[in-house]
Amino acid sequence: MGDSPPSLHRPPPPSSPAAPPPYSPSGHHGRDVSLKIQTPMAVNKEEGNSQMIRGRKLKCRYTNHGRSRPYNHRICKGGKKSSSMNIESLPDELLFDILLHLPPRDIYDSAVFVCKKWRSVIRTRKFTCEHLRHSPPGLVIQSVNKREQTSFLTTRRGRIEITKFAHNDYKCLLWTSCNGLLLECDKENDYASYIANPSTSQRSPLPPKYYSGMAYAAASTTYKVVNWYHEYDNPEDRGCVILTVGVDKSWRLLHTQHLSLATRIIFNIRPLTTEGFVHWATTKSAHVLSLNVETEVIKEILVPKGYGEKLKYFLSTGTSLTFLTNIKEFSWEVWELSQETGKWTKMPSIDLEPQNFRSEYSKLIRNRSLMPPWGSNVTVKPVGWLSCREALVLHAFPTRLCIVYNVRTRGIDFFELNHDFDLYAFVVHRDSLVDFREC
């Protein structure tokens, strides 16, 4: 696969027409990427959006992620009327709604400079919040060993899109994402840590520390980062410290004495972020540690009775915490945590068998030589949600094959990562215009 992002695919038909010429728009989305997809899509030459056709391998520029023509500054300047309608005559509410559908990179780089009216609409907290709400959560996929090959997976209008993330040489270790802001660590620069928005190219250093989690406290409109710590003379006695971005100059110790020593051990794992909370849990733990970043109180929440010893895959939807556990090889129970009550709710199960998944999956593994050479077992495990439980992403570990299951339509797509036998992090992320300096 080289250094390109993962590619969606289905084996092509005998003849494949030539691909259209490549296109390289700016920003972390809209990059050229070679892919194949199993559902047909149109090619709209007028808009410059070369998309996917059944069985063809194309150099793609994704819908709404690139622009075929620059914005017209003259359209907003007074006096002249166009042949149809002067855009300044549009009601503010309609203009607001139109701008909400633009990608954040287009807004930040171009739309805000079109005219004063556009700028006044965009440069408001209301617009930033509404744009964030309209941005569907996707997954940043990062190789632990080859971080420059980081990709972004999302769904738009029921279609799967995979683009190269941030820029060509994204080498920072990504810990977590919250409201479009990243918590990242530069291991090649003495573990320097940053909070950044890749859509607006904003990046700011954080006080020295090996960070692990971040969440947004809505009532106080602040972002808080957390980290685990331990006493050097007693490494098993672990705790948690917190820092309010832009406010605190040093770390504050959180109260953890009400938690058992065995419970506090899980503080050193990578936590999951949901709205207003940071969660720690392991695949075999019978409890979850949940930090409310507004109150800065950590609670221990037990998993449903009978699931303590079962293998569990904890995943964030972006808004809530879930875990999945196997019923059979290709089916899972799904549980969701209510952050207000701390109670678990059983959701509809996911079963890939009725969709003839096994035969197609086995064919892909066999035909593309994805089976591990030493004959070890391939485990299909859930790794992330797209668009708040609209679709579930699964990884056939240790191969590079991944599966996307649409929960509503029960459709199945496949795509490949860059390498077999590599460890990958799957982090929930959404594009946004959020500026942490204005919080």
Side-chain angles (χ1 to χ4, degrees):
M1 301 292 295
D3 291 345
S4 63
S7 59
L8 290 161
H9 72 84
R10 173 168 281 190
S15 62
S16 297
Y23 182 87
S24 299
S26 61
H28 78 273
H29 291 311
R31 300 279 179 180
D32 288 344
V33 52
S34 177
L35 57 80
K36 300 176 189 175
I37 192 166
Q38 75 184 94
T39 54
M41 298 186 196
V43 175
N44 187 336
K45 295 182 179 179
E46 179 180 349
E47 293 302 322
N49 296 325
S50 299
Q51 300 176 7
M52 288 72 72
I53 301 297
R54 181 183 297 275
R56 299 184 187 176
K57 186 176 183 181
L58 304 176
K59 288 287 186 176
C60 293
R61 177 175 143 215
Y62 298 104
T63 304
N64 293 334
H65 282 189
R67 296 187 298 278
S68 57
R69 62 182 69 86
Y71 288 102
N72 188 344
H73 289 251
R74 292 174 297 175
I75 200 167
C76 286
K77 294 186 177 179
K80 291 187 178 181
K81 291 185 179 181
S82 66
S83 57
S84 56
M85 177 183 291
N86 190 315
I87 198 166
E88 285 196 327
S89 66
L90 290 176
D92 289 348
E93 296 79 7
L94 181 56
L95 178 60
F96 187 96
D97 187 63
I98 292 172
L99 292 174
L100 282 180
H101 291 81
L102 292 178
R105 193 76 192 187
D106 284 359
I107 294 175
Y108 187 79
D109 286 346
S110 300
V112 73
F113 300 111
V114 169
C115 63
K116 289 182 179 180
K117 182 174 183 178
W118 284 33
R119 184 179 182 88
S120 64
V121 171
I122 293 169
R123 295 292 193 185
T124 61
R125 184 177 182 85
K126 179 182 177 182
F127 182 83
T128 299
C129 293
E130 280 298 305
H131 191 276
L132 175 65
R133 192 174 66 85
H134 279 74
S135 179
L139 287 175
V140 176
I141 305 174
Q142 184 179 59
S143 167
V144 174
N145 299 314
K146 301 177 179 64
R147 293 185 294 277
E148 68 277 6
Q149 298 177 6
T150 303
S151 302
F152 184 62
L153 172 69
T154 189
T155 58
R156 294 182 187 275
R157 300 180 181 91
R159 299 171 179 175
I160 300 168
E161 297 181 356
I162 307 176
T163 53
K164 202 159 191 176
F165 185 72
H167 48 77
N168 290 329
D169 298 309
Y170 187 80
K171 296 182 179 180
C172 284
L173 176 64
L174 175 59
W175 276 115
T176 191
S177 173
C178 176
N179 291 349
L181 303 179
L182 305 179
L183 182 60
E184 55 187 30
C185 173
D186 189 352
K187 297 181 71 174
E188 298 178 0
N189 187 22
D190 197 26
Y191 289 91
S193 295
Y194 304 89
I195 184 171
N197 186 331
S199 295
T200 61
S201 302
Q202 294 170 346
R203 196 167 187 244
S204 180
L206 291 169
K209 197 67 177 180
Y210 199 62
Y211 299 92
S212 59
M214 174 175 63
Y216 178 64
S220 57
T221 64
T222 56
Y223 287 88
K224 299 183 181 183
V225 292
V226 297
N227 185 46
W228 70 281
Y229 83 97
H230 65 81
E231 301 292 343
Y232 287 102
D233 57 346
N234 187 11
E236 296 300 320
D237 187 9
R238 296 170 182 171
C240 186
V241 291
I242 193 168
L243 181 144
T244 302
V245 177
V247 177
D248 294 334
K249 302 300 182 183
S250 60
W251 291 92
R252 294 180 285 109
L253 185 64
L254 292 177
H255 177 67
T256 57
Q257 298 307 309
H258 60 293
L259 305 173
S260 66
L261 182 61
T263 301
R264 298 203 300 270
I265 288 178
I266 66 175
F267 274 130
N268 69 326
I269 68 170
R270 182 197 292 257
L272 297 170
T273 297
T274 60
E275 288 186 348
F277 288 80
V278 177
H279 308 275
W280 293 263
T282 64
T283 56
K284 287 293 187 70
S285 63
H287 53 264
V288 176
L289 294 181
S290 293
L291 166 65
N292 183 327
V293 294
E294 193 69 67
T295 63
E296 300 187 358
V297 173
I298 300 175
K299 291 184 178 180
E300 181 178 349
I301 301 174
L302 295 177
V303 300
K305 187 176 181 180
Y307 289 84
E309 296 300 321
K310 289 186 176 182
L311 182 66
K312 297 174 289 297
Y313 301 98
F314 286 93
L315 304 175
S316 170
T317 68
T319 58
S320 62
L321 182 70
T322 65
F323 78 81
L324 294 86
T325 185
N326 280 92
I327 302 173
K328 294 184 294 186
E329 184 179 7
F330 299 126
S331 61
W332 296 265
E333 288 185 6
V334 182
W335 290 81
E336 185 173 37
L337 177 66
S338 169
Q339 299 182 147
E340 291 73 20
T341 65
K343 303 295 183 182
W344 294 94
T345 301
K346 191 172 184 179
M347 310 303 291
S349 298
I350 290 177
D351 188 359
L352 305 186
E353 291 286 5
Q355 282 68 49
N356 298 319
F357 169 77
R358 185 183 295 271
S359 60
E360 191 165 1
Y361 163 77
S362 300
K363 188 189 302 181
L364 284 170
I365 291 287
R366 182 175 61 255
N367 293 348
R368 300 183 69 85
S369 302
L370 296 175
M371 188 64 70
W374 55 82
S376 64
N377 293 329
V378 177
T379 303
V380 177
K381 56 182 182 179
V383 292
W385 294 103
L386 299 178
S387 300
C388 298
R389 289 201 298 112
E390 177 182 314
L392 177 66
V393 181
L394 306 107
H395 181 201
F397 184 81
T399 76
R400 61 183 178 272
L401 183 67
C402 286
I403 304 102
V404 180
Y405 174 73
N406 190 302
V407 177
R408 181 178 57 84
T409 66
R410 300 184 180 178
I412 295 176
D413 282 307
F414 299 87
F415 70 93
E416 292 179 7
L417 302 172
N418 290 299
H419 303 280
D420 295 317
F421 320 116
D422 199 355
L423 295 176
Y424 288 88
F426 298 80
V427 179
V428 177
H429 174 75
R430 64 174 77 195
D431 291 331
S432 81
L433 296 165
V434 171
D435 187 345
F436 55 86
R437 298 169 301 183
E438 297 178 357
C439 295

